[in-house]
PDB file of all heavy atoms in Angstrom:
ATOM      1  N   LYS Y 590      25.924  -7.841  18.719  1.00  0.00           N
ATOM      2  CA  LYS Y 590      27.325  -7.566  18.399  1.00  0.00           C
ATOM      3  C   LYS Y 590      27.707  -8.209  17.077  1.00  0.00           C
ATOM      4  O   LYS Y 590      28.383  -7.617  16.244  1.00  0.00           O
ATOM      5  CB  LYS Y 590      28.210  -8.104  19.528  1.00  0.00           C
ATOM      6  CG  LYS Y 590      29.685  -7.914  19.212  1.00  0.00           C
ATOM      7  CD  LYS Y 590      30.546  -7.908  20.422  1.00  0.00           C
ATOM      8  CE  LYS Y 590      31.972  -7.496  20.134  1.00  0.00           C
ATOM      9  NZ  LYS Y 590      32.401  -7.499  18.758  1.00  0.00           N
ATOM     10  N   ARG Y 591      27.229  -9.460  16.865  1.00  0.00           N
ATOM     11  CA  ARG Y 591      27.552 -10.156  15.628  1.00  0.00           C
ATOM     12  C   ARG Y 591      26.950  -9.438  14.429  1.00  0.00           C
ATOM     13  O   ARG Y 591      27.606  -9.307  13.381  1.00  0.00           O
ATOM     14  CB  ARG Y 591      27.033 -11.585  15.701  1.00  0.00           C
ATOM     15  CG  ARG Y 591      27.611 -12.478  14.640  1.00  0.00           C
ATOM     16  CD  ARG Y 591      27.141 -13.903  14.810  1.00  0.00           C
ATOM     17  NE  ARG Y 591      26.832 -14.520  13.540  1.00  0.00           N
ATOM     18  CZ  ARG Y 591      27.726 -15.008  12.690  1.00  0.00           C
ATOM     19  NH1 ARG Y 591      29.011 -14.949  12.984  1.00  0.00           N
ATOM     20  NH2 ARG Y 591      27.358 -15.549  11.544  1.00  0.00           N
ATOM     21  N   ASP Y 594      29.064  -6.521  13.717  1.00  0.00           N
ATOM     22  CA  ASP Y 594      30.342  -6.935  13.139  1.00  0.00           C
ATOM     23  C   ASP Y 594      30.197  -7.230  11.656  1.00  0.00           C
ATOM     24  O   ASP Y 594      31.087  -6.909  10.872  1.00  0.00           O
ATOM     25  CB  ASP Y 594      30.869  -8.185  13.847  1.00  0.00           C
ATOM     26  CG  ASP Y 594      31.406  -7.864  15.218  1.00  0.00           C
ATOM     27  OD1 ASP Y 594      31.748  -6.684  15.438  1.00  0.00           O
ATOM     28  OD2 ASP Y 594      31.488  -8.774  16.060  1.00  0.00           O
ATOM     29  N   MET Y 595      29.093  -7.834  11.265  1.00  0.00           N
ATOM     30  CA  MET Y 595      28.964  -8.159   9.843  1.00  0.00           C
ATOM     31  C   MET Y 595      28.246  -7.071   9.070  1.00  0.00           C
ATOM     32  O   MET Y 595      27.907  -7.251   7.916  1.00  0.00           O
ATOM     33  CB  MET Y 595      28.287  -9.517   9.647  1.00  0.00           C
ATOM     34  CG  MET Y 595      26.942  -9.719  10.224  1.00  0.00           C
ATOM     35  SD  MET Y 595      26.330 -11.266   9.578  1.00  0.00           S
ATOM     36  CE  MET Y 595      25.898 -12.111  11.042  1.00  0.00           C
ATOM     37  N   ARG Y 596      28.064  -5.887   9.712  1.00  0.00           N
ATOM     38  CA  ARG Y 596      27.590  -4.685   9.002  1.00  0.00           C
ATOM     39  C   ARG Y 596      26.228  -4.926   8.359  1.00  0.00           C
ATOM     40  O   ARG Y 596      26.060  -4.734   7.158  1.00  0.00           O
ATOM     41  CB  ARG Y 596      28.590  -4.233   7.917  1.00  0.00           C
ATOM     42  CG  ARG Y 596      30.029  -4.100   8.311  1.00  0.00           C
ATOM     43  CD  ARG Y 596      30.239  -2.919   9.249  1.00  0.00           C
ATOM     44  NE  ARG Y 596      31.646  -2.586   9.402  1.00  0.00           N
ATOM     45  CZ  ARG Y 596      32.467  -3.108  10.293  1.00  0.00           C
ATOM     46  NH1 ARG Y 596      32.036  -4.063  11.106  1.00  0.00           N
ATOM     47  NH2 ARG Y 596      33.722  -2.703  10.372  1.00  0.00           N
ATOM     48  N   PRO Y 599      24.202  -1.396   6.478  1.00  0.00           N
ATOM     49  CA  PRO Y 599      25.070  -0.325   6.972  1.00  0.00           C
ATOM     50  C   PRO Y 599      24.709   1.060   6.457  1.00  0.00           C
ATOM     51  O   PRO Y 599      25.272   2.050   6.907  1.00  0.00           O
ATOM     52  CB  PRO Y 599      26.445  -0.738   6.446  1.00  0.00           C
ATOM     53  CG  PRO Y 599      26.146  -1.480   5.202  1.00  0.00           C
ATOM     54  CD  PRO Y 599      24.843  -2.164   5.405  1.00  0.00           C
ATOM     55  N   ILE Y 600      23.794   1.158   5.450  1.00  0.00           N
ATOM     56  CA  ILE Y 600      23.550   2.462   4.831  1.00  0.00           C
ATOM     57  C   ILE Y 600      22.353   3.154   5.461  1.00  0.00           C
ATOM     58  O   ILE Y 600      22.428   4.300   5.853  1.00  0.00           O
ATOM     59  CB  ILE Y 600      23.341   2.288   3.323  1.00  0.00           C
ATOM     60  CG1 ILE Y 600      24.550   1.585   2.735  1.00  0.00           C
ATOM     61  CG2 ILE Y 600      23.128   3.634   2.665  1.00  0.00           C
ATOM     62  CD1 ILE Y 600      24.378   1.150   1.319  1.00  0.00           C
ATOM     63  N   GLU Y 601      21.234   2.453   5.568  1.00  0.00           N
ATOM     64  CA  GLU Y 601      20.038   3.110   6.101  1.00  0.00           C
ATOM     65  C   GLU Y 601      19.418   2.357   7.261  1.00  0.00           C
ATOM     66  O   GLU Y 601      18.423   2.780   7.789  1.00  0.00           O
ATOM     67  CB  GLU Y 601      18.973   3.219   4.999  1.00  0.00           C
ATOM     68  CG  GLU Y 601      19.157   4.400   4.088  1.00  0.00           C
ATOM     69  CD  GLU Y 601      17.912   4.653   3.263  1.00  0.00           C
ATOM     70  OE1 GLU Y 601      17.305   3.687   2.786  1.00  0.00           O
ATOM     71  OE2 GLU Y 601      17.553   5.824   3.104  1.00  0.00           O
ATOM     72  N   TYR Y 609      30.975   3.406  14.597  1.00  0.00           N
ATOM     73  CA  TYR Y 609      32.054   2.423  14.726  1.00  0.00           C
ATOM     74  C   TYR Y 609      33.296   3.003  15.359  1.00  0.00           C
ATOM     75  O   TYR Y 609      34.082   2.298  15.975  1.00  0.00           O
ATOM     76  CB  TYR Y 609      32.381   1.785  13.369  1.00  0.00           C
ATOM     77  CG  TYR Y 609      31.374   0.717  12.992  1.00  0.00           C
ATOM     78  CD1 TYR Y 609      30.277   1.019  12.225  1.00  0.00           C
ATOM     79  CD2 TYR Y 609      31.530  -0.595  13.440  1.00  0.00           C
ATOM     80  CE1 TYR Y 609      29.346   0.043  11.904  1.00  0.00           C
ATOM     81  CE2 TYR Y 609      30.612  -1.574  13.136  1.00  0.00           C
ATOM     82  CZ  TYR Y 609      29.521  -1.230  12.364  1.00  0.00           C
ATOM     83  OH  TYR Y 609      28.603  -2.210  12.062  1.00  0.00           O
ATOM     84  N   GLU Y 610      33.512   4.342  15.192  1.00  0.00           N
ATOM     85  CA  GLU Y 610      34.705   4.914  15.806  1.00  0.00           C
ATOM     86  C   GLU Y 610      34.560   4.975  17.330  1.00  0.00           C
ATOM     87  O   GLU Y 610      35.464   4.617  18.062  1.00  0.00           O
ATOM     88  CB  GLU Y 610      34.959   6.328  15.276  1.00  0.00           C
ATOM     89  CG  GLU Y 610      35.784   6.372  14.005  1.00  0.00           C
ATOM     90  CD  GLU Y 610      34.916   6.701  12.817  1.00  0.00           C
ATOM     91  OE1 GLU Y 610      34.335   7.785  12.804  1.00  0.00           O
ATOM     92  OE2 GLU Y 610      34.794   5.845  11.916  1.00  0.00           O
TER      93      GLU Y 610
ATOM     94  N   ARG W 326      16.991   8.447  -0.048  1.00  0.00           N
ATOM     95  CA  ARG W 326      17.688   7.161  -0.092  1.00  0.00           C
ATOM     96  C   ARG W 326      18.860   7.216  -1.055  1.00  0.00           C
ATOM     97  O   ARG W 326      19.951   6.718  -0.755  1.00  0.00           O
ATOM     98  CB  ARG W 326      16.695   6.074  -0.514  1.00  0.00           C
ATOM     99  CG  ARG W 326      17.236   4.692  -0.382  1.00  0.00           C
ATOM    100  CD  ARG W 326      16.143   3.670  -0.560  1.00  0.00           C
ATOM    101  NE  ARG W 326      15.306   3.566   0.616  1.00  0.00           N
ATOM    102  CZ  ARG W 326      14.152   2.903   0.657  1.00  0.00           C
ATOM    103  NH1 ARG W 326      13.705   2.306  -0.419  1.00  0.00           N
ATOM    104  NH2 ARG W 326      13.457   2.835   1.764  1.00  0.00           N
ATOM    105  N   ALA W 329      21.584   9.046   0.592  1.00  0.00           N
ATOM    106  CA  ALA W 329      22.240   8.271   1.654  1.00  0.00           C
ATOM    107  C   ALA W 329      23.243   7.289   1.064  1.00  0.00           C
ATOM    108  O   ALA W 329      24.357   7.134   1.569  1.00  0.00           O
ATOM    109  CB  ALA W 329      21.189   7.536   2.479  1.00  0.00           C
ATOM    110  N   TYR W 330      22.839   6.625  -0.020  1.00  0.00           N
ATOM    111  CA  TYR W 330      23.746   5.665  -0.652  1.00  0.00           C
ATOM    112  C   TYR W 330      24.963   6.367  -1.228  1.00  0.00           C
ATOM    113  O   TYR W 330      26.101   5.877  -1.104  1.00  0.00           O
ATOM    114  CB  TYR W 330      23.005   4.886  -1.740  1.00  0.00           C
ATOM    115  CG  TYR W 330      22.306   3.647  -1.214  1.00  0.00           C
ATOM    116  CD1 TYR W 330      21.176   3.752  -0.428  1.00  0.00           C
ATOM    117  CD2 TYR W 330      22.802   2.380  -1.486  1.00  0.00           C
ATOM    118  CE1 TYR W 330      20.544   2.626   0.067  1.00  0.00           C
ATOM    119  CE2 TYR W 330      22.173   1.245  -0.994  1.00  0.00           C
ATOM    120  CZ  TYR W 330      21.059   1.377  -0.223  1.00  0.00           C
ATOM    121  OH  TYR W 330      20.449   0.261   0.269  1.00  0.00           O
ATOM    122  N   PHE W 333      27.296   7.293   1.538  1.00  0.00           N
ATOM    123  CA  PHE W 333      27.973   6.136   2.110  1.00  0.00           C
ATOM    124  C   PHE W 333      29.156   5.704   1.257  1.00  0.00           C
ATOM    125  O   PHE W 333      30.247   5.412   1.765  1.00  0.00           O
ATOM    126  CB  PHE W 333      26.954   5.004   2.251  1.00  0.00           C
ATOM    127  CG  PHE W 333      27.505   3.754   2.868  1.00  0.00           C
ATOM    128  CD1 PHE W 333      27.660   3.649   4.236  1.00  0.00           C
ATOM    129  CD2 PHE W 333      27.874   2.668   2.079  1.00  0.00           C
ATOM    130  CE1 PHE W 333      28.158   2.506   4.815  1.00  0.00           C
ATOM    131  CE2 PHE W 333      28.380   1.511   2.650  1.00  0.00           C
ATOM    132  CZ  PHE W 333      28.527   1.432   4.022  1.00  0.00           C
ATOM    133  N   TYR W 334      28.928   5.677  -0.051  1.00  0.00           N
ATOM    134  CA  TYR W 334      29.979   5.128  -0.909  1.00  0.00           C
ATOM    135  C   TYR W 334      31.013   6.149  -1.309  1.00  0.00           C
ATOM    136  O   TYR W 334      32.029   5.812  -1.921  1.00  0.00           O
ATOM    137  CB  TYR W 334      29.360   4.483  -2.148  1.00  0.00           C
ATOM    138  CG  TYR W 334      28.775   3.130  -1.838  1.00  0.00           C
ATOM    139  CD1 TYR W 334      27.402   2.914  -1.865  1.00  0.00           C
ATOM    140  CD2 TYR W 334      29.598   2.072  -1.479  1.00  0.00           C
ATOM    141  CE1 TYR W 334      26.881   1.683  -1.561  1.00  0.00           C
ATOM    142  CE2 TYR W 334      29.074   0.829  -1.164  1.00  0.00           C
ATOM    143  CZ  TYR W 334      27.717   0.640  -1.199  1.00  0.00           C
ATOM    144  OH  TYR W 334      27.203  -0.584  -0.888  1.00  0.00           O
ATOM    145  N   GLU W 342      36.990  -2.121   5.624  1.00  0.00           N
ATOM    146  CA  GLU W 342      35.787  -2.762   6.162  1.00  0.00           C
ATOM    147  C   GLU W 342      35.974  -4.266   6.215  1.00  0.00           C
ATOM    148  O   GLU W 342      35.643  -4.935   7.200  1.00  0.00           O
ATOM    149  CB  GLU W 342      34.565  -2.437   5.280  1.00  0.00           C
ATOM    150  CG  GLU W 342      34.137  -0.990   5.306  1.00  0.00           C
ATOM    151  CD  GLU W 342      33.533  -0.581   6.628  1.00  0.00           C
ATOM    152  OE1 GLU W 342      32.724  -1.343   7.176  1.00  0.00           O
ATOM    153  OE2 GLU W 342      33.884   0.497   7.123  1.00  0.00           O
ATOM    154  N   SER W 345      38.271  -5.237   9.135  1.00  0.00           N
ATOM    155  CA  SER W 345      37.646  -5.180  10.474  1.00  0.00           C
ATOM    156  C   SER W 345      36.630  -6.291  10.630  1.00  0.00           C
ATOM    157  O   SER W 345      36.519  -6.890  11.713  1.00  0.00           O
ATOM    158  CB  SER W 345      37.022  -3.813  10.728  1.00  0.00           C
ATOM    159  OG  SER W 345      36.402  -3.310   9.601  1.00  0.00           O
ATOM    160  N   MET W 346      35.916  -6.621   9.556  1.00  0.00           N
ATOM    161  CA  MET W 346      34.953  -7.719   9.643  1.00  0.00           C
ATOM    162  C   MET W 346      35.683  -9.036   9.860  1.00  0.00           C
ATOM    163  O   MET W 346      35.240  -9.904  10.629  1.00  0.00           O
ATOM    164  CB  MET W 346      34.110  -7.803   8.363  1.00  0.00           C
ATOM    165  CG  MET W 346      32.955  -6.837   8.341  1.00  0.00           C
ATOM    166  SD  MET W 346      31.725  -7.284   7.131  1.00  0.00           S
ATOM    167  CE  MET W 346      32.082  -6.097   5.877  1.00  0.00           C
ATOM    168  N   ALA W 349      36.764  -9.382  13.382  1.00  0.00           N
ATOM    169  CA  ALA W 349      35.649  -9.693  14.283  1.00  0.00           C
ATOM    170  C   ALA W 349      35.266 -11.148  14.222  1.00  0.00           C
ATOM    171  O   ALA W 349      34.604 -11.656  15.120  1.00  0.00           O
ATOM    172  CB  ALA W 349      34.454  -8.809  13.932  1.00  0.00           C
ATOM    173  N   VAL W 351      33.570 -12.878  11.602  1.00  0.00           N
ATOM    174  CA  VAL W 351      32.277 -13.236  11.023  1.00  0.00           C
ATOM    175  C   VAL W 351      32.413 -14.052   9.750  1.00  0.00           C
ATOM    176  O   VAL W 351      31.426 -14.584   9.251  1.00  0.00           O
ATOM    177  CB  VAL W 351      31.404 -11.990  10.734  1.00  0.00           C
ATOM    178  CG1 VAL W 351      30.971 -11.352  12.015  1.00  0.00           C
ATOM    179  CG2 VAL W 351      32.121 -10.998   9.865  1.00  0.00           C
TER     180      VAL W 351
END
Side-chain angles (χ1 to χ4, degrees):
Chain Y
K590 177 157 189 345
R591 195 176 139 79
D594 286 338
M595 58 170 127
R596 310 290 193 272
I600 304 170
E601 277 194 319
Y609 281 93
E610 273 106 62
Chain W
R326 189 169 284 169
Y330 272 72
F333 182 80
Y334 283 111
E342 293 290 316
S345 39
M346 278 198 256
V351 291

